[in-house]
Amino acid sequence: MTDNPNQNLGAAEPQGASQDAAIVTRRRALMMGAVTASAVVSIKPALAQTAGSVLNCEIPVPGNHAAGGYIGPDGKIVSPDTPGAFPPAGRNFTGEEVKRAMNGRSLPGTSYDQSKAYVNYIRRLQSGQSGFTCYASLQMPR
């Protein structure tokens, strides 16, 4: 026998150490699973909320950059005395209303031709103009 009382325990330590490592590994795996599951639960409502907010965003016709202008049949901003031009909409249209109008329906409170002119205006929106971000988000696939 030897003078070291821990010498015989050396053979048992690796087995105990491997059990401890296995427990730690399982705990980590469970924790990772819990983190992943909570991330999925958090992301899904966020995506649903984003989709909802796209349909609730608003597009002014015309926007602030063209206040006082009328809308020509081609969607361009024109002076009020232009023949065939339509007056400003008087209210903002929601993303949902615009999406329906782009699929063939008329914008609420407008005639067929007036709706076509307003939709043409919306299609011509560029970055930096009021309503552009809303219109651009309608174009993104879901």
Side-chain angles (χ1 to χ4, degrees):
M1 295 242 156
T2 62
D3 293 332
N4 186 350
N6 294 329
Q7 186 175 15
N8 291 334
L9 296 177
E13 272 185 26
Q15 184 181 14
S18 68
Q19 285 177 343
D20 288 344
I23 290 171
V24 169
T25 302
R26 272 186 253 142
R27 282 186 190 153
R28 283 189 184 151
L30 288 172
M31 287 177 15
M32 291 293 283
V35 168
T36 303
S38 69
V40 169
V41 170
S42 301
I43 291 170
K44 278 191 175 190
L47 292 175
Q49 185 177 3
T50 302
S53 66
V54 165
L55 297 178
N56 292 323
C57 63
E58 295 187 342
I59 302 175
V61 178
N64 297 338
H65 68 282
Y70 274 44
I71 310 296
D74 59 357
K76 292 182 180 176
I77 302 297
V78 295
S79 65
D81 60 348
T82 304
F86 298 97
R91 76 173 189 89
N92 296 345
F93 296 106
T94 66
E96 186 172 8
E97 292 168 338
V98 170
K99 190 170 188 170
R100 279 191 237 136
M102 293 175 82
N103 289 326
R105 289 185 149 179
S106 290
L107 289 166
T110 65
S111 68
Y112 175 78
D113 290 332
Q114 190 176 19
S115 180
K116 266 180 56 177
Y118 289 171
V119 169
N120 286 338
Y121 165 81
I122 292 167
R123 284 189 170 126
R124 298 173 65 88
L125 286 173
Q126 295 179 1
S127 180
Q129 294 178 331
S130 300
F132 173 77
T133 303
C134 182
Y135 171 66
S137 62
L138 293 174
Q139 303 304 307
M140 295 197 182
R142 294 203 168 74

